[in-house]
Amino acid sequence: MSVTRSVILGCGCYLPSRVLTNEELAHTVDTSDEWIVQRTGIHERRIAATGELTSDLALHAAQAALAHAKVDAQSIDLIVLATSTPDNTFPATAVSVQAGLGITHGAAFDLQAVCSGFVYGLATIDGLLRGGMFKRALLIGAETFSRILDWTDRTTCVLFGDGAGAVVMEAQEQPGNASDRGLLTTHLRSDGRHKQKLYVDGGPSSTGTVGHLRMEGREVFRHAVAMITDVVEDAFKATGYTAADIDWFVPHQANKRIIDGSAHKLGIDPGKIVITVDRHGNTSAASIPLALCDAITDRRIKRGDLILLEAMGGGFTWGAALVRW
Ligand code: UT7
């Protein structure tokens, strides 16, 4: 019996041109290239130019995704933008992207689940597409974390970067068997007891300021691998697939040690891991689509491949998805 699935038609990404290296950071805070590479795997990150907004990054990524999918912007009836660094408190940054694309129909809204935003977005759009409310959607992860970093705090400022990635998704009838393309399963979790471990110390209703990112890095690290592997096991259980069936593992890119530790615990072959954290740092909601684009652009990911996505971040929020490309 055929089933409706949310199929990913194409992806696109955008990185600001300014590269900030570990060596440069070592001139402004008490750190070193050696420490950053050894503890995180990060070599460099991108920084948005003055006046370059999250919506600008998002629009570039959206246009690239539409071109890759070979679809017209006017065929999009839903835009979901996952971000924790919106242009303004409101309106949603998604409506700026909508206007930038010249779309005046359908709906556009922002989604806030910090580093898990892209996986949360996949699940949200999947529900809306399969429910029949919309036909073709853009999911964008876009961030300008450079604007909320405390550049005097070496424990956080070396970890994050700016960037955007997007996918075009469409509701399609699939045969209802193992060859089905699209999203096969999504699993979302959160636990607000951990909200003080990774947060921004400002906001419209608390301080009336934007605030800066604060993190108990060691505590986040301590929870990350267990939470990631737990929710991935849920995705395996729901589909019957195992680590051996995965063609590509495209994780949230926060720290190479977390990624390698999760893959090891899950029994995923290291050769199947897509890593971009070395070049982008942690770009929060943008990190998964940036990594996905990388492996699609260089043709590692091919039609029919089974891809495992996962993320974990502030809240804590975490989640996993299985997609057949
Ligand atoms: O997207 C999800 C959100 N974030 C994450 O997933 C990040 C999770 N956490 C991590 O990735 C790691 O905990 C960090 C990379 C943040 C830190 O690595 P760690 O191995 O957990 O180091 P640590 O926090 O235990 O710090 C070790 C030492 C400390 O010095 P003492 O107390 O041992 O004297 C830090 O003060 O390293 C020091 N340190 C640094 N040294 C040089 C902290 N930051 C730096 C730095 N450069 N940038």
Side-chain angles (χ1 to χ4, degrees):
M1 201 180 69
S2 77
V3 292
T4 309
R5 297 235 186 246
S6 306
V7 173
I8 300 181
L9 300 181
C11 73
C13 64
Y14 175 79
L15 288 165
S17 56
R18 163 86 167 102
V19 176
L20 178 62
T21 63
N22 292 346
E23 283 85 1
E24 283 177 85
L25 277 168
H27 291 298
T28 55
V29 286
D30 182 14
T31 191
S32 64
D33 177 54
E34 191 193 3
W35 190 94
I36 300 171
V37 172
Q38 195 204 356
R39 302 286 176 136
T40 71
I42 299 168
H43 290 264
E44 59 187 41
R45 71 288 293 142
R46 301 296 182 102
I47 305 294
T50 306
E52 194 174 32
L53 308 184
T54 294
S55 59
D56 298 319
L57 275 52
L59 181 58
H60 285 301
Q63 286 165 332
L66 291 168
H68 183 243
K70 297 189 175 65
V71 302
D72 190 87
Q74 294 308 322
S75 68
I76 300 292
D77 56 4
L78 173 65
I79 300 173
V80 177
L81 174 52
T83 189
S84 302
T85 45
D87 293 359
N88 296 86
T89 301
F90 75 80
T93 303
V95 301
S96 293
V97 176
Q98 186 191 29
L101 292 171
I103 303 172
T104 53
H105 60 268
F109 63 90
D110 287 0
L111 183 153
Q112 215 280 52
V114 207
C115 296
S116 310
F118 192 78
V119 176
Y120 270 60
L122 285 174
T124 303
I125 290 180
D126 189 42
L128 293 169
L129 289 180
R130 287 198 295 130
M133 203 168 179
F134 300 96
K135 292 276 176 276
R136 196 178 268 174
L138 257 174
L139 171 59
I140 310 163
E143 304 281 13
T144 48
F145 261 50
S146 63
R147 308 260 155 80
I148 55 164
L149 293 175
D150 174 352
W151 288 99
T152 66
D153 175 11
R154 70 173 183 173
T155 69
T156 53
C157 76
V158 304
L159 303 174
F160 297 88
D162 301 339
V167 293
V168 179
M169 295 166 68
E170 179 180 77
Q172 281 186 10
E173 286 306 301
Q174 292 290 311
N177 59 36
S179 71
D180 280 7
R181 293 187 67 211
L183 265 186
L184 305 178
T185 194
T186 50
H187 300 265
L188 306 181
R189 304 266 197 89
S190 64
D191 184 346
R193 286 176 302 176
H194 301 287
K195 66 180 183 177
Q196 296 298 336
K197 295 189 175 104
L198 173 50
Y199 70 106
V200 170
D201 63 3
S205 106
S206 53
T207 57
T209 63
V210 172
H212 291 112
L213 184 148
R214 306 293 174 202
M215 177 166 71
E216 293 174 35
R218 210 175 300 186
E219 275 295 296
V220 179
F221 196 102
R222 203 167 65 77
H223 286 86
V225 174
M227 287 177 159
I228 290 163
T229 51
D230 199 45
V231 76
V232 169
E233 294 290 359
D234 281 354
F236 286 160
K237 262 184 232 135
T239 54
Y241 287 120
T242 68
D245 298 312
I246 299 304
D247 293 301
W248 295 105
F249 178 39
V250 185
H252 168 51
Q253 310 279 322
N255 184 323
K256 190 166 181 303
R257 284 157 62 212
I258 295 175
I259 295 172
D260 290 343
S262 304
H264 179 74
K265 198 169 165 201
L266 288 162
I268 295 172
D269 175 352
K272 295 177 176 177
I273 309 174
V274 177
I275 298 274
T276 51
V277 69
D278 51 333
R279 286 164 283 151
H280 310 153
N282 182 347
T283 56
S284 192
S287 89
I288 291 177
L290 277 167
L292 195 59
C293 274
D294 206 57
I296 284 160
T297 308
D298 66 18
R299 299 183 194 280
R300 265 176 292 171
I301 293 179
K302 296 185 180 60
R303 174 76 83 99
D305 280 355
L306 186 62
I307 306 169
L308 171 65
L309 313 174
E310 59 76 8
M312 182 266 183
F316 293 143
T317 55
W318 65 109
L322 277 170
V323 184
R324 187 162 308 274
W325 192 252

